[in-house]
């Protein structure tokens, strides 16, 4: 096929232009003929350059040369010839956009959605989360839990991607590395229940005294106190097992199902199977495209160059709406809840928000249904602080703000189980939205003429859009906000500083699927600091702290959840935060992708995916 | 003499830029350790990282250490990756250089080509068409033009790739470079067109050109050998300045087309408050501007004998 025909064929194969095919081929006729002529005359780039020079001489100097159009057509010809290669759909490769180039791979420090996707491909921990967020075996085949110790028995035959056998010593060395200050793990205190962990965290020791390997397949952890969350945090990617606890961040080695085979910085990461695929149609290769802008990511997906869209960041709003109403794509969405809560935080130490009536007025003045609408329906109205998708949460229980004369918490199920086919947010109402009550509360608190405050928020597009909507809502109740959008680093530093920010827009994404991860770090008195405080509302309530302490000491998960629900009710009665909504993930899946699911923890649950042949249906989050 | 005067001046400018950027980075009310640790990290970890990075030392001590490092070729290490800053910036440089050269080609092809065409025939239809091009080129924002080109030629017509820099090799790079270079080049080309058009029109109306014509010299020789040679001097100056700026990274174009150059690196570093890397990208841009301006100053007399005669070197 010559260049012109090939280019026409390529153009005509594009679905959106089918009807314009004749027009296009007509308008491009001259160009394409010239392309063909050019190919016959001078197939190499040198010929094109020569003709350009001659053309210039003829037009301006009076000497004879080639037709004037050739120079620009030469460039076009090269591009069209290159476009002749049809877009390949390789049914052995899963192609996904990752976001920015992470620069290095270190599971001990990676603390973002993209880095967790990489970690899950390359590494394993002792235990893992299943589709419901429960702890299941990973490198450890079995384990026993005693009040003062945990004992893990490793699976036999485990190997790293470099062929070395994985032994208990590697687990111990990896944990030692994790907690050393030089490693810069963001959450070393998660593991401080292990005897000797604090000494390593403080830099006083290089080895965790309470962590030993009695034999090559047994790991023993002695505990300084019972910790019901230790298994949860051991399943996090921070605890990935490395050979001898050593890592080359550019060429990482792990026991995961894939190995990094190529990394073109800023462009692409390629992972190939390190061991046998579970299914003949499972991807043998995973390609992460790096640095794609939102627009390019969308366009690449629609052109079939990506298999999934919206895995590592939400689909751009206008594109989401367009795709949702496109018959080609609307049935290809997979939706599920994200374990996250967006809220308005209020500094309980600073007036006027040190008055619970003012805080409640803020909560009642926000029209959450409108915020969900602004997000194109990709969220569930928050009726409490804990997200509805959290494992262990009884969805039938009322969790909303206690209010006189009004049934609370009726929305807990409003956004649940939304399959891809019923995405419309219609019918969702905000049970808290009551401007009259907000005004009454403000008046009771001694502010009949309203209040004015500076509202801090990150300066991203979505955050600012939400802030503007909130500003309008609150103005209706007499709460006048002056918006202060800041870059994310500046925002974080500002809200973490004591007596600095009165009211702000915040969000919390679960580290691990447990209520404690929401209720402890953000609201316990122990997490109040003068700078870089995690408790950014500086909420201090002895009764609430006592409930957290009771839950932490409770070995029964069911009884613990009951205590946490009680703590949440206490929290909502004091209302240091006005919960807004819980976001939902929407991932668009190509027709040749099967078995994709949204996992409560892992951004890319690749292990059940099949390409090119149906193995399992695409489903929403497993915990639903 | 000029050379002896300009080199220390260039070094002074470079050090001034380093001082200003360093100061600005550290007066930003944000803690890099907070970003490095993660939004949900515990405070003790943030404090430990803060100390590890040396952020608890006085600003002047940190700046002195930074300058000392610069003098030894050590531009510091990235907070985010731990990799040497200079090495990382240099690894992104080839992509930026390709984009800069591509844009320069577009400047010359479109800007100078149309400038010569319009300047040699003032008031003609070509001149009027070129004026429309200038207006459009100066009015249309580069990022918008990039998105439109991307949508039209990459997504709908599928002639060009959807971003990225390709696998390497001349043809593949040219294929991937076409749209970003056009985007970057077209808006800049408008300035070149206007500059050359005005210069050329002025030269063609001057006495020496009239004399040359009266002596029977052909129009082509008058244009190419006499008028253009004088009219193109400001273009060379502008080309040098623009090239230097392009080497610093075309942030928006690189972002739209996912071009893995220094602009993308700068953007990512700013988002993560990776101060040493931000410093590195800014200093690299400053170095490029200072060095190329110096080079242009030195080359200028070679193009214009009048300057040579005045002892510009």
């Amino acid at each position: 096929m010559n260049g012109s025909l090939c280019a026409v064929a390529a153009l005509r194969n594009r679905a959106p232009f089918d009807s314009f095919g004749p027009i296009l081929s007509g308008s491009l006729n001259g160009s394409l003929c010239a392309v063909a002529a050019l190919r016959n005359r001078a197939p190499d780039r040198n010929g094109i350059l020569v003709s350009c020079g001659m053309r210039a001489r003829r037009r301006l100097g009076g000497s004879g040369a080639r037709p004037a159009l050739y120079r620009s057509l030469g460039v076009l010809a090269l591009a069209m010839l290159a476009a002749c290669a049809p877009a390949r759909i390789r049914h052995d490769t899963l192609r996904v956009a990752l976001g920015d180039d992470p620069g290095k791979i270190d599971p001990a420090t990676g603390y973002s959605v993209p880095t967790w996707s990489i970690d899950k491909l390359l590494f394993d921990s002792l235990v893992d989360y299943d589709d419901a967020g429960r702890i299941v075996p990973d490198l450890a085949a079995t384990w026993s839990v005693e009040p003062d110790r945990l004992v893990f028995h490793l699976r036999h035959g485990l190997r790293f991607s470099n062929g070395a056998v994985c032994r208990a010593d590697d687990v111990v060395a990896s944990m030692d590395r994790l907690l050393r200050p030089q490693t810069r793990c963001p959450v070393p205190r998660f593991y401080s229940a292990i005897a000797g962990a604090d000494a390593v965290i403080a830099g006083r020791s290089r080895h965790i005294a309470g962590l030993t390997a009695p034999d090559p397949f047994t790991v023993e952890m002695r505990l300084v106190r019972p910790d019901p969350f230790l298994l949860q945090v051991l399943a996090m990617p921070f605890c990935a097992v490395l050979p001898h606890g050593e890592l080359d961040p550019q060429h990482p080695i792990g026991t995961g199902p894939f190995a990094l085979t190529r990394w073109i910085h800023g462009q692409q990461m390629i992972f190939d199977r390190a061991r046998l695929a579970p299914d003949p149609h499972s991807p043998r290769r995973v390609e992460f495209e790096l640095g794609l802008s939102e627009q390019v990511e969308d366009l690449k997906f629609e052109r079939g160059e990506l298999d999934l869209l919206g895995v590592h960041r939400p689909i751009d709003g206008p594109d989401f709406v367009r795709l949702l109403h496109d018959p080609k794509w609307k049935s290809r969405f997979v939706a599920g809840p994200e374990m996250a809560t967006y809220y308005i935080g209020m500094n309980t130490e600073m007036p006027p928000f040190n008055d619970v009536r003012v805080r409640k007025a803020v909560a009642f003045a926000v029209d959450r249904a409108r915020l969900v609408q602004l997000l194109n329906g990709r969220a569930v109205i928050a009726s409490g602080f804990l997200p509805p998708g959290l494992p262990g949460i009884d969805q039938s229980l009322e969790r909303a703000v206690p209010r006189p004369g009004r049934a609370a918490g009726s929305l807990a199920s409003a956004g649940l189980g939304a399959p891809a086919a019923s995405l419309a947010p219609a019918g969702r109402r905000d049970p808290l939205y009551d401007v009259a009550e907000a005004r009454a509360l403000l008046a009771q608190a001694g502010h009949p003429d309203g209040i004015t405050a500076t509202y801090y928020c990150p300066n991203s597009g979505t955050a600012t859009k939400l802030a503007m909507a909130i500003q309008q809502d609150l103005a209706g109740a007499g709460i006048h906000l002056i918006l202060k959008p800041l870059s994310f680093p500046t925002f974080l530093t500002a809200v973490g500083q004591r007596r600095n920010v009165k009211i702000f827009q915040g969000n919390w994404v679960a580290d691990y699927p447990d209520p404690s991860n929401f209720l402890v770090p953000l609201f316990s008195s122990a997490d109040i600091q003068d700078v870089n405080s995690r408790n950014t509302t500086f909420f201090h309530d002895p009764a609430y702290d006592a409930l957290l302490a009771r839950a932490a000491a409770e070995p029964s998960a069911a009884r613990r959840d009951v205590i946490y629900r009680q703590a949440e009710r206490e929290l909502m009665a004091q209302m240091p935060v006005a919960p807004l909504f819980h976001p939902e993930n929407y991932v668009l899946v190509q027709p040749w992708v099967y078995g994709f699911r949204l996992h409560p923890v892992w951004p890319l649950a690749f292990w059940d995916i099949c390409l090119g042949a149906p193995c399992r249906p695409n489903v929403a989050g497993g915990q639903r | 003499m000029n050379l002896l005067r300009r080199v220390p001046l260039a070094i002074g400018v470079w050090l001034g830029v380093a001082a200003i950027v360093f100061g600005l980075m550290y007066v930003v009310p944000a803690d890099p350790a907070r970003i490095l640790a993660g939004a949900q990290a515990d405070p003790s970890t943030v404090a430990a990282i803060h100390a590890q990075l040396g952020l608890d030392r006085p600003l002047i001590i940190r700046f002195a250490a930074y300058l000392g490092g610069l003098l030894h070729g050590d531009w510091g290490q990235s907070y985010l990756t731990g990799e040497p800053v200079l090495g990382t910036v240099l690894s992104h440089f080839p992509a930026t250089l390709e984009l800069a050269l591509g844009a320069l080609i577009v400047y010359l092809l479109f800007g100078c080509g149309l400038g010569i065409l319009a300047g040699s025939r003032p008031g003609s239809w070509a001149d009027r068409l070129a004026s429309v091009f200038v207006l459009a080129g100066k009015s249309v924002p580069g990022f918008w033009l990039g998105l439109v080109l991307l949508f039209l030629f990459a997504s709908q017509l599928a002639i060009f790739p959807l971003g990225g820099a390709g696998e390497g090799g001349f043809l593949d790079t040219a294929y991937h470079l076409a749209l970003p270079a056009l985007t970057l080049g077209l808006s800049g080309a408008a300035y070149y067109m206007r500059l050359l058009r005005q210069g050329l029109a002025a030269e063609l109306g001057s006495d020496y050109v009239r004399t040359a014509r009266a002596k029977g010299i052909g129009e082509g020789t008058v244009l190419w050998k006499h008028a253009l040679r004088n009219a193109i001097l400001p273009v060379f100056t502008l080309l040098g300045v623009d090239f230097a700026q392009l080497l610093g990274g075309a942030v928006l174009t690189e972002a739209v087309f996912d071009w893995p150059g220094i602009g993308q690196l700068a953007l990512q570093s700013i988002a993560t408050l990776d101060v040493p890397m931000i410093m590195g990208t800014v200093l690299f841009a400053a170095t490029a501007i200072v060095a190329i301006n110096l080079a242009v100053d030195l080359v200028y007399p070679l193009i214009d004998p009048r300057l040579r005669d005045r002892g510009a070197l």
Side-chain angles (χ1 to χ4, degrees), chain A residues 182-202:
Chain A
Q182 299 86 341
T183 307
R184 298 180 185 169
C185 170
V187 284
R189 302 278 168 200
F190 277 1
Y191 308 97
S192 54
I194 304 170
D198 282 342
V200 179
I201 293 168

Side-chain angles (χ1 to χ4, degrees), chain A residues 191-372:
Chain A
Y191 308 97
S192 54
I194 304 170
D198 282 342
V200 179
I201 293 168
R204 294 195 304 272
S205 169
R206 287 185 57 79
H207 302 289
I208 305 170
L211 186 67
T212 52
D215 67 61
F217 298 101
T218 306
V219 176
E220 188 175 307
M221 284 181 193
R222 282 190 294 108
L223 307 179
V224 290
R225 61 176 186 274
D227 185 347
F229 318 116
L230 190 55
L231 279 174
Q232 291 275 2
V233 294
L234 285 172
M236 293 177 79
F238 303 121
C239 301
V241 177
L242 310 169
H244 310 298
E246 292 167 1
L247 178 78
D248 176 349
Q250 300 301 319
H251 305 95
I253 302 289
T255 56
F258 286 85
L260 179 65
T261 48
R262 196 169 180 213
W263 186 354
I264 308 169
H265 280 284
Q267 294 194 60
Q268 198 179 42
M269 297 174 94
I270 297 175
F271 303 84
D272 285 313
R273 279 274 173 197
R275 50 179 186 253
L276 204 61
D279 187 285
H281 298 289
S282 296
R284 275 149 181 72
R285 171 174 281 193
V286 175
E287 288 180 4
F288 284 151
E289 298 281 338
L290 305 175
L292 298 186
S293 61
E294 287 175 345
Q295 294 82 5
V296 172
E297 187 180 338
D298 292 349
L299 295 173
K300 271 186 176 262
F301 176 82
E302 290 184 65
R303 221 167 88 165
E305 293 177 16
L306 293 174
D307 296 314
L308 303 168
L309 180 67
V311 173
H312 294 113
R313 71 172 156 218
I315 302 170
D316 194 31
D319 282 318
F320 174 75
V321 174
R322 179 175 57 80
L323 295 165
L324 194 62
H325 294 95
D326 186 335
K328 184 181 174 189
W329 296 116
K330 68 178 182 184
S331 62
R332 305 298 313 163
F333 276 100
V334 175
E338 191 179 337
M339 287 195 307
T341 302
Y342 282 67
Y343 57 88
I344 298 172
M346 290 162 278
N347 193 324
T348 55
E349 292 183 334
M350 295 178 78
F353 300 104
N354 54 355
D355 187 329
V356 68
R357 290 169 296 187
V358 176
R359 300 199 295 264
K360 284 189 175 178
V362 169
F364 296 151
V366 182
D367 183 358
R368 292 163 184 77
R370 195 157 74 99
L371 298 184
V372 171

Side-chain angles (χ1 to χ4, degrees), chain A residues 60 101 181 184 186 291 293 303 493, chain B residues 31 34 37 52 154 224 258 268:
Chain A
L60 296 164
D101 190 329
R184 298 180 185 169
S293 61
R303 221 167 88 165
T493 307
Chain B
D31 187 353
R34 189 81 169 96
Q52 275 182 36
W224 290 100
D258 310 315
Q268 193 179 345

Side-chain angles (χ1 to χ4, degrees), chain A residues 11 14 17 45 60 79 83 101 104 181 184-186 188 262 267 291-293 296 300 303 493 509 511 532 534, chain B residues 30-31 34 37 40-42 44-46 52 80 154-160 162 165-167 170 224 256 258 268:
Chain A
L11 292 171
R14 298 286 307 143
F17 271 83
R45 61 179 185 273
L60 296 164
D101 190 329
K104 67 168 184 177
R184 298 180 185 169
C185 170
R262 196 169 180 213
Q267 294 194 60
L292 298 186
S293 61
V296 172
K300 271 186 176 262
R303 221 167 88 165
T493 307
V509 184
D511 294 305
N532 290 321
R534 281 205 296 186
Chain B
D31 187 353
R34 189 81 169 96
Q40 300 179 194
D42 58 59
S44 57
T45 306
V46 177
Q52 275 182 36
L80 194 67
S155 174
Q156 297 301 313
L157 294 173
I159 296 172
F160 290 107
L162 275 164
E167 300 270 315
F170 179 79
W224 290 100
V256 169
D258 310 315
Q268 193 179 345

Side-chain angles (χ1 to χ4, degrees), chain B residues 44-60:
Chain B
S44 57
T45 306
V46 177
I49 294 174
H50 193 88
Q52 275 182 36
L53 296 179
L55 296 171
D56 46 359
R57 291 184 299 165
L59 191 66
I60 190 73

Side-chain angles (χ1 to χ4, degrees), chain B residues 73-90:
Chain B
D74 177 10
W75 289 33
Q77 291 182 320
S78 161
Y79 285 168
L80 194 67
T81 64
E83 296 289 314
V85 166
L86 186 58
T88 309
V89 172
L90 288 177

